[in-house]
Amino acid sequence: MKFRRNRQRENVDINLASLIDVVFVLLLFFVVTTTFTRETQLRVELPEAASATPGQPDEGKLVEITISADGVYSVNNHLLPKSDLDTLTEAIQKESGGDTNLPLAISADGKTPHQAVITAMDAAGKLGFSKLRMTTVEAAQGNP
């Protein structure tokens, strides 16, 4: 038996336009649903405490003062141009919106000058904040 092969094969073309559309929609989906980590502008190595208590659950809005080892201040991740009491007080007032019932956390590097921490506490006291928290990390087991 002889089979005839007179018919020519049809060229098969793949339409890439719809494939590109699907890839762009997936890319857009991943970009929109990606969560970004909150990076701080200051590198702070918190001091250790043997009796560190776990942080309290998120109480909503929080005013966080971060102090670097050089004594540079940051309020809610906004780096301050000057490291003096007036600038710090204005920044805390702006971030809190005048609400002194908000919790205020001070995260100071272990090598921060003591005066910088006292200045932050002084600014909080002048504005009338009563919920003050010092941030530490739990000491590793075996360290004296």
Side-chain angles (χ1 to χ4, degrees), residues 101-115:
N101 292 325
L102 292 175
L104 187 131
I106 298 176
S107 301
D109 192 283
K111 296 179 175 75
T112 300
H114 189 64
Q115 181 60 50

Side-chain angles (χ1 to χ4, degrees), residues 16-110:
L16 293 179
S18 60
L19 179 66
I20 292 172
D21 288 345
V22 169
V23 169
F24 280 134
V25 168
L26 287 173
L27 179 67
L28 181 65
F29 173 76
F30 287 122
V31 167
V32 170
T33 59
T34 301
T35 57
F36 297 99
T37 58
R38 185 176 154 196
E39 298 291 329
T40 59
Q41 295 177 353
L42 296 179
R43 179 172 172 77
V44 175
E45 294 179 24
L46 295 174
E48 295 179 352
S51 63
T53 58
Q56 297 175 0
D58 191 13
E59 302 166 353
K61 191 171 179 183
L62 169 75
V63 178
E64 182 177 12
I65 302 171
T66 308
I67 311 170
S68 73
D70 301 329
V72 178
Y73 295 102
S74 169
V75 178
N76 285 357
N77 292 326
H78 293 75
L79 196 61
L80 300 184
K82 292 176 14 182
S83 296
D84 62 345
L85 181 63
D86 293 332
T87 306
L88 181 60
T89 305
E90 287 177 22
I92 295 171
Q93 181 72 25
K94 179 183 169 191
E95 289 295 321
S96 68
D99 186 4
T100 59
N101 292 325
L102 292 175
L104 187 131
I106 298 176
S107 301
D109 192 283

Side-chain angles (χ1 to χ4, degrees), residues 95-136:
E95 289 295 321
S96 68
D99 186 4
T100 59
N101 292 325
L102 292 175
L104 187 131
I106 298 176
S107 301
D109 192 283
K111 296 179 175 75
T112 300
H114 189 64
Q115 181 60 50
V117 177
I118 296 300
T119 301
M121 294 173 71
D122 187 28
K126 282 185 176 181
L127 293 173
F129 281 89
S130 58
K131 297 179 183 175
L132 181 64
R133 186 181 338 168
M134 299 296 288
T135 308
T136 60

